[in-house]
Amino acid sequence: QKEVEQDPGPLSVPEGAIVSLNCTYSNSAFQYFMWYRQYSRKGPELLMYTYSSGNKEDGRFTAQVDKSSKYISLFIRDSQPSDSATYLCAMSAYGSARQLTFGSGTQLTVLP
Amino acid sequence: GAVVSQHPSRVICKSGTSVKIECRSLDFQATTMFWYRQFPKQSLMLMATSNEGSKATYEQGVEKDKFLINHASLTLSTLTVTSAHPEDSSFYICSAPQALTEAFFGQGTRLTVV
């Protein structure tokens, strides 16, 4: 069993839709939870960072962490074609910048 | 945000040769950098942690003699794939943490061994 499970998709939605991306994990030591966006053949860029359980909102993006269920989510409101990318969840027990364990990524396409 | 520059972005080499990939933190110092490998449609797998002035720490299953890491300064780490074979073809990405809260990633290097 992988430490972090993420549905690879692909996921296609119309412009303006609400997108829900999810990951589950098995390692209860994870305390730091991140979502990265990766465009084709580029390095990942950090979208959201959450420590422990709770919600965090940044513009059109909302990250949720439920440690009791070992489940994290990223919601994208009013999705745009420019949101089309692969979204990777990542987790760490040591800090949001160190020794990250990544999900396999979900490929998202927002259709105009 | 901070910038991590990785070079080259793409390289094709013959089987048996060695390839060096550079990772530079352009506007901050990084005593630690991380090297990841990504296969198509798969997640990034941590290969090793590069430590400035000391030996790198390799993840289980990663051959240290195959993937040589040197972190000679606070802004530069290099990964050398030695005696490359087609199965080493992959996307290699470095990252450098700034403080505790964010890791900045390089653009990645697509290595193709023919």
Side-chain angles (χ1 to χ4, degrees), chain A residues 42-70:
Chain A
K42 300 291 184 183
E45 57 176 326
L46 182 67
L47 278 177
M48 301 285 287
Y49 147 68
T50 308
Y51 172 71
S52 193
S53 285
N55 295 354
K56 189 171 187 178
E57 187 173 323
D58 183 2
R60 296 185 295 112
F61 298 90
T62 300
Q64 291 184 351
V65 175
D66 182 349
K67 289 189 66 181
S68 62
S69 301
K70 296 190 176 65

Side-chain angles (χ1 to χ4, degrees), chain A residues 3-100:
Chain A
E3 275 194 296
V4 179
E5 297 277 0
Q6 183 176 8
D7 186 342
L11 179 63
S12 291
V13 300
E15 184 174 354
I18 297 174
V19 176
S20 173
L21 305 168
N22 311 293
C23 289
T24 59
Y25 63 96
S26 57
N27 187 345
S28 57
F30 288 145
Q31 296 280 358
Y32 300 84
F33 304 91
M34 284 70 65
W35 285 96
Y36 284 84
R37 178 173 61 196
Q38 185 178 24
Y39 293 110
S40 181
R41 305 191 180 194
K42 300 291 184 183
E45 57 176 326
L46 182 67
L47 278 177
M48 301 285 287
Y49 147 68
T50 308
Y51 172 71
S52 193
S53 285
N55 295 354
K56 189 171 187 178
E57 187 173 323
D58 183 2
R60 296 185 295 112
F61 298 90
T62 300
Q64 291 184 351
V65 175
D66 182 349
K67 289 189 66 181
S68 62
S69 301
K70 296 190 176 65
Y71 187 88
I72 72 170
S73 301
L74 177 70
F75 297 95
I76 307 173
R77 292 185 299 279
D78 188 25
S79 56
Q80 303 295 311
S82 58
D83 295 328
S84 299
T86 295
Y87 290 80
L88 298 153
C89 63
M91 307 176 191
S92 174
Y94 308 102
S96 62
R98 304 185 69 84
Q99 293 185 280
L100 304 179

